[in-house]
Amino acid sequence: MRVISVKRLREFWKQPDCKDSEQALRAWYTEAKKASWKGPHEIKAQYKNASIVGKNRVVFNICGNKYRLVVAIKYDFGIVFVRFIGTHKQYDRVQVEEV
């Protein structure tokens, strides 16, 4: 998969309060780059705790669910768009299908 944008992930893990997310986000990025997901069922097979939501959004738990990563996926083009990364508290304030 082509992940757009790793810059957003990097900016997040460089924040003083979020440095503990770097290793987990790097691991997720490496796995996503190597993946060739054709649909949500393939993501659920790899990530049991991922949540499939509307508008092709997937929510991944990062660092034991301390952080949430929301991506939009264009399965037919093999593209993953990073739409949101934040704490659980920040996640609770967003409309997942709209980010």
Side-chain angles (χ1 to χ4, degrees):
M1 304 297 286
R2 185 170 161 216
V3 179
I4 302 172
S5 130
V6 70
K7 179 183 177 188
R8 207 170 198 181
L9 300 177
R10 193 177 310 114
E11 288 171 351
F12 182 79
W13 76 55
K14 286 186 176 185
Q15 295 177 45
D17 295 345
C18 303
K19 290 190 180 292
D20 61 335
S21 67
E22 181 176 0
Q23 183 178 1
L25 287 171
R26 283 183 182 272
W28 176 88
Y29 175 73
T30 299
E31 291 172 5
K33 261 190 353 183
K34 292 178 183 175
S36 57
W37 300 314
K38 301 296 183 212
H41 61 284
E42 291 183 4
I43 293 172
K44 287 295 280 185
Q46 185 174 356
Y47 295 96
K48 303 275 187 246
N49 292 325
S51 298
I52 309 301
V53 294
K55 294 190 178 180
N56 289 326
R57 301 296 199 269
V58 180
V59 180
F60 293 94
N61 298 325
I62 304 295
C63 285
N65 208 18
K66 182 176 180 181
Y67 305 108
R68 292 283 180 97
L69 170 64
V70 179
V71 300
I73 302 179
K74 296 280 189 184
Y75 296 101
D76 49 343
F77 294 104
I79 301 174
V80 177
F81 298 93
V82 174
R83 305 300 296 160
F84 170 86
I85 177 70
T87 64
H88 236 285
K89 189 175 182 178
Q90 293 166 330
Y91 171 82
D92 288 341
R93 293 189 302 246
V94 300
Q95 294 292 330
V96 176
E97 294 176 355
E98 302 305 318
V99 294

